[in-house]
Amino acid sequence: MPKELPVFEQWPYKIPSIKGALTKIEAVTEELKNASSAKEAIAAVKKHNRISDKINNQFVLVSVCYSIDTTNKKYKKGMNVLNEGSPLISAAENKYASALLSSPFRPELEKKFGSFLFTMYEYSLKSFDEKIVAEAVEENKLTMAYDEKIASAQIEFRGGVYNLPQMGKFMEDVDRETRKEAADAYYGYLSSIKDELEDIYDQLVKVRDRMAKKLGYSSYTELAYIRMNRFDYNADDVAKYREAIHDYVTPLAEKIMKAQYKRVGIKKPEVYDLNVAFKEGNPIPKGDTAYKVEMAKKMYTAMSPETAYFFPYMADHHVLDLEAKPGKQSGGYMTYFPVYQIPFIFSNFNGTSGDVDVLTHEFGHSFQAYMARNIKIPEYRSPTMESCEIDSMSMEFFAEPYMDLFFDEPVKYRYLHLASSITFLPYGVTVDEFQHWVYANPDATPAERDAKWHELEEKYTPYKVAAYGDCEYMASGHRWLTQAHIFDNPFYYIDYTLAQVMAFEFFNLDRKNHDLAWKRYLKLCAMGGKYPFRTLVAKCHMKDPFQEGVIKKTIAPLAKLLKSYNVD
């Protein structure tokens, strides 16, 4: 960790110079090209790593500040600079990658930095070229337009004005009439902007399709898999995996939902009943945000020596922006400042149990960054997306023994957390199959996309569709419009489901042998992104979710555990 790092609010905000960054990247590329020895080539690579960290540190600060307040003109200006400049940076980085791959000293470089780094750079060359800079800029602007539209939501409800995340607590209220009114206001607002959201997505699909065609791919799906660095599995593997979720998880998810309706005492469920698991209401975490942070300090102090140091360090440096507020982007994320060697957690607390979920989830990401902070090669610090999510989702389950700190009825929370994690899987593969269809049919109309979404919901989550009733917005296939990943990070959703299965594996092992589970988890975090997904799984001696029978074997003990909670 850097010494004497000030708190977040005191970090100098500066809009990065794209021209200056390009000059540095181009200069180090020439040094690599002109290296007369392996020693000089190695020195150039190390210099590039330092330059990359500094540029990323600046870019991350701008994007974090903007996500906290999308209405701030200074931050919006900085984000526009990034949107215009990042494709130019990518083009310059491609030239550096070409120089590295074609270096006459490649054998020595591979021995020094590992051959996987070269595989990464080969993928980066396949996924970007100067010829698609204009499309990349347009893509950035469109995703920014979507984020601003979602963040700017102002929903009038019972005398107050709320954004989308803030409405969550009302939609989980124990009073059914409150839930109904909240749902009417929530979906009514979304209906008023759905055409704008559909138009933004239509433009995104077409610009991404153009990018893929310019690069010589048959569809954007091919390009997306390369962009996502899916080194060791393909679309066929994912399709078989989705079917395993359908066969073994959808039936269990349906049983969970039927038990929920019975428990709550609702014979004819409506859309506003989907998120209430108990007749007395869902477990609500104790205290305000400051209280939750203090309880998290206690939890992580007890969990392990590593977490005992790191969570207080984050809290002390104010790198936790947790509460929902006007103008703030929706969702939650963790990002990392490589120069400062510290992560940042962003979320939208709204007074529901999801506050605890997101706190433990994003800290899992942060903890992985902490464990891998001393890896010198930037590309090796963070794993690919699906591997990243193992770190976060597994941390949610490692935190379960400490839930009495956050809840008066921790057993209900544990049940709800496990049940919702299981029912998430069919939704997650719905999102994935939808995107595969969208990019295979880039000229489909918005109405055709909505119809396809509805068809896939009928396949994977029929127990939800049955509750849509008179909610025209949901019944006509618009649920996907608020799934930001579909707009901002295409194909980044199956990753959550793969990681959820892996988290279940850790959870099953943890209940049998905590020390072994934690040892394997620490190893996974510390390896960072030195290996692709399936290799990381193997090196931690865990089971590959793509292998036949793994889904069935992993889910079976969880069904038994749910019954043992005796909440019905």
Side-chain angles (χ1 to χ4, degrees):
M1 293 295 175
K3 294 181 180 179
E4 300 180 5
L5 181 67
V7 296
F8 176 75
E9 293 84 357
Q10 295 176 5
W11 295 1
Y13 178 87
K14 182 181 179 182
I15 298 176
S17 166
I18 301 300
K19 183 178 180 180
L22 291 173
T23 299
K24 290 177 181 177
I25 297 169
E26 290 163 359
V28 76
T29 300
E30 289 303 310
E31 288 181 30
L32 182 57
K33 285 181 179 179
N34 297 327
S36 59
S37 66
K39 184 178 179 180
E40 288 183 5
I42 289 170
V45 172
K46 288 181 176 179
K47 184 176 180 180
H48 173 265
N49 291 343
R50 293 192 295 272
I51 291 170
S52 178
D53 278 348
K54 289 179 180 178
I55 293 172
N56 285 333
N57 209 78
Q58 290 181 316
F59 275 42
V60 169
L61 183 58
V62 170
S63 63
V64 166
C65 290
Y66 171 74
S67 66
I68 292 172
D69 185 3
T70 62
T71 66
N72 184 296
K73 292 182 179 179
K74 179 173 66 173
Y75 300 156
K76 189 170 183 177
K77 179 181 178 182
M79 201 64 200
N80 283 327
V81 169
L82 264 58
N83 286 337
E84 294 278 355
S86 58
L88 301 177
I89 298 291
S90 295
E93 287 287 1
N94 263 23
K95 292 179 180 178
Y96 169 81
S98 296
L100 182 70
L101 294 172
S102 61
S103 171
F105 306 106
R106 178 166 173 170
E108 292 90 339
L109 291 169
E110 286 201 34
K111 185 176 180 181
K112 176 68 176 178
F113 300 109
S115 59
F116 187 42
L117 179 66
F118 290 78
T119 302
M120 290 181 177
Y121 275 120
E122 286 168 356
Y123 266 58
S124 72
L125 289 182
K126 292 176 182 178
S127 66
F128 193 84
D129 188 275
E130 286 184 343
K131 66 177 74 170
I132 62 166
V133 165
E135 284 81 6
V137 170
E138 185 179 351
E139 180 185 30
N140 286 341
K141 289 181 177 179
L142 287 167
T143 57
M144 185 174 171
Y146 170 78
D147 291 337
E148 288 186 356
K149 192 66 184 176
I150 293 295
S152 66
Q154 291 187 315
I155 303 171
E156 295 183 4
F157 180 70
R158 292 187 174 179
V161 179
Y162 305 92
N163 62 19
L164 294 174
Q166 288 172 328
M167 289 297 293
K169 62 182 177 181
F170 302 117
M171 295 173 74
E172 289 188 14
D173 197 276
V174 67
D175 178 62
R176 199 175 188 216
E177 186 58 34
T178 297
R179 297 200 303 272
K180 182 181 184 305
E181 286 184 32
D184 288 344
Y186 183 87
Y187 294 118
Y189 175 80
L190 289 176
S191 292
S192 73
I193 64 168
K194 66 179 174 62
D195 290 343
E196 293 176 71
L197 300 181
E198 297 257 27
D199 181 61
I200 290 172
Y201 190 63
D202 191 63
Q203 292 179 66
L204 275 169
V205 170
K206 287 177 171 54
V207 74
R208 286 169 178 155
D209 186 63
R210 286 202 306 274
M211 292 167 78
K213 300 291 174 55
K214 276 192 174 184
L215 292 175
Y217 298 105
S218 61
S219 74
Y220 178 74
T221 303
E222 287 186 71
L223 174 58
Y225 269 61
I226 294 170
R227 274 179 143 188
M228 295 293 292
N229 286 330
R230 291 179 176 167
F231 301 108
D232 52 3
Y233 62 94
N234 57 35
D236 290 337
D237 295 320
V238 172
K240 292 175 184 176
Y241 166 82
R242 288 196 305 261
E243 290 308 308
I245 296 295
H246 173 265
D247 293 344
Y248 299 112
V249 185
T250 291
L252 176 57
E254 186 160 17
K255 289 180 181 178
I256 289 171
M257 294 304 295
K258 286 182 178 179
Q260 174 178 309
Y261 299 145
K262 184 179 179 181
R263 188 186 314 119
V264 177
I266 294 175
K267 293 183 178 179
K268 187 179 182 302
E270 300 288 347
V271 68
Y272 45 85
D273 298 316
L274 289 170
N275 295 324
V276 180
F278 302 99
K279 193 169 187 177
E280 305 79 14
N282 290 353
I284 297 174
K286 297 182 282 188
D288 57 10
T289 297
Y291 175 87
K292 294 183 184 79
V293 171
E294 285 304 310
M295 292 305 101
K297 286 181 181 178
K298 288 186 178 182
M299 173 174 67
Y300 287 121
T301 296
M303 187 177 291
S304 75
E306 297 87 358
T307 55
Y309 166 76
F310 187 57
F311 186 83
Y313 182 86
M314 291 189 68
D316 291 345
H317 287 83
H318 300 184
V319 288
L320 309 170
D321 195 286
L322 304 175
E323 293 183 324
K325 48 196 171 188
K328 188 175 180 179
Q329 276 186 0
S330 62
Y333 66 74
M334 183 284 296
T335 191
Y336 184 69
F337 291 92
V339 173
Y340 301 151
Q341 288 191 313
I342 193 169
F344 187 96
I345 291 178
F346 171 100
S347 70
N348 280 274
F349 279 13
N350 60 7
T352 69
S353 61
D355 295 352
V356 178
D357 295 341
V358 75
L359 184 57
T360 56
H361 180 99
E362 300 304 341
F363 180 71
H365 283 307
S366 302
F367 185 66
Q368 184 280 314
Y370 165 68
M371 291 295 291
R373 68 195 182 283
N374 291 323
I375 295 176
K376 300 297 183 184
I377 302 169
E379 293 84 355
Y380 284 167
R381 286 190 207 118
S382 178
T384 47
M385 295 303 188
E386 69 291 285
S387 301
C388 279
E389 299 302 341
I390 303 173
D391 307 317
S392 56
M393 290 179 157
S394 298
M395 179 59 80
E396 292 180 38
F397 286 102
F398 281 119
E400 285 215 346
Y402 307 94
M403 286 301 107
D404 57 311
L405 293 170
F406 298 93
F407 296 94
D408 289 324
E409 297 180 287
V411 173
K412 284 188 175 180
Y413 170 79
R414 293 185 186 107
Y415 175 89
L416 179 60
H417 179 235
L418 179 56
S420 59
S421 297
I422 292 169
T423 56
F424 162 74
L425 290 174
Y427 172 74
V429 297
T430 302
V431 172
D432 184 71
E433 187 164 338
F434 174 69
Q435 291 184 98
H436 278 83
W437 183 88
V438 164
Y439 290 105
N441 300 275
D443 295 321
T445 65
E448 288 171 334
R449 291 191 195 110
D450 296 336
K452 185 63 181 181
W453 174 265
H454 184 76
E455 175 191 324
L456 292 172
E457 281 192 304
E458 290 276 16
K459 174 183 178 180
Y460 290 108
T461 58
Y463 44 87
K464 285 188 177 182
V465 176
Y468 289 165
D470 296 332
C471 183
E472 193 275 337
Y473 179 86
M474 294 289 276
S476 57
H478 291 106
R479 164 65 183 91
W480 64 274
L481 288 172
T482 51
Q483 190 58 66
H485 301 74
I486 293 175
F487 287 77
D488 296 349
N489 304 100
F491 289 93
Y492 179 10
Y493 216 73
I494 200 71
D495 309 71
Y496 287 113
T497 73
L498 290 165
Q500 188 68 77
V501 173
M502 292 301 307
F504 286 154
E505 287 190 38
F506 272 110
F507 185 44
N508 288 335
L509 178 60
D510 188 46
R511 287 178 290 113
K512 294 178 181 178
N513 187 334
H514 170 73
D515 290 342
L516 179 59
W518 186 250
K519 181 180 178 181
R520 290 182 178 178
Y521 178 72
L522 289 180
K523 180 178 181 180
L524 177 68
C525 291
M527 282 193 291
K530 290 182 178 179
Y531 308 98
F533 170 64
R534 300 178 86 169
T535 304
L536 281 174
V537 170
K539 283 186 173 291
C540 289
H541 306 287
M542 303 297 280
K543 295 181 179 64
D544 185 343
F546 288 117
Q547 290 183 346
E548 188 174 350
V550 169
I551 301 297
K552 182 179 180 181
K553 189 173 182 179
T554 302
I555 292 296
L558 300 178
K560 294 179 181 178
L561 180 61
L562 279 176
K563 291 182 180 179
S564 74
Y565 285 128
N566 294 318
V567 296
D568 292 325

